[in-house]
Amino acid sequence: MAATYDFPSDLLAGQEELQQVRAELSALLKRLPWSVEPLDGFSDDHGWRKVERPASPGWTADEQAEVEKLRQREHELAVFVSTHRHWAELTGADRVHARSRLKHTHEDTEGPA
């Protein structure tokens, strides 16, 4: 059986929000055009694989602001989680394993689908 850890509630909340922000950012980036700035499309078949991109209208100021806001929040949360005082209580392999377990705590509480 895998070791269990008693993570502080603020650390659990920070990790959960970090995962939510990363999912939201990923979904947003998939919806946006491939280029931030307006660019013509291109096709290049001279490399080891063909690369094609349609013309990109670029991102609006609102889209750029939303991406920046999410990236900033992701950074804040990543710093909070990775530097949390809880990690000082663990050493070596225990710390590594606990950090890995933290990323999957939401799976443990959801149970089988």
Side-chain angles (χ1 to χ4, degrees):
M1 181 169 175
T4 57
Y5 297 94
D6 188 22
F7 296 113
S9 61
D10 63 331
L11 179 56
L12 288 168
Q15 179 64 35
E16 183 178 338
E17 186 180 351
L18 177 58
Q19 289 170 327
Q20 290 170 350
V21 167
R22 284 180 171 162
E24 196 176 326
L25 178 59
S26 177
L28 176 61
L29 291 172
K30 286 177 183 176
R31 286 192 314 269
L32 292 176
W34 63 271
S35 175
V36 176
E37 299 295 325
L39 287 175
D40 293 334
F42 66 89
S43 178
D44 180 9
D45 59 0
H46 300 293
W48 63 276
R49 65 184 176 110
K50 186 174 184 173
V51 177
E52 290 184 309
R53 296 273 191 219
S56 172
W59 296 359
T60 66
D62 288 344
E63 291 168 337
Q64 289 180 39
E66 181 67 15
V67 168
E68 180 58 31
K69 181 182 104 181
L70 288 170
R71 285 182 174 158
Q72 180 63 32
R73 186 63 183 148
E74 177 187 27
H75 181 263
E76 291 167 359
L77 289 164
V79 169
F80 172 78
V81 169
S82 63
T83 62
H84 193 279
R85 66 189 177 283
H86 175 72
W87 304 123
E89 299 171 9
L90 302 165
T91 59
D94 287 338
R95 184 181 298 166
V96 172
H97 187 259
R99 284 180 185 252
S100 294
R101 287 303 314 144
L102 177 65
K103 294 177 184 179
H104 300 282
T105 55
H106 69 283
E107 296 168 4
D108 297 339
T109 58
E110 288 176 357

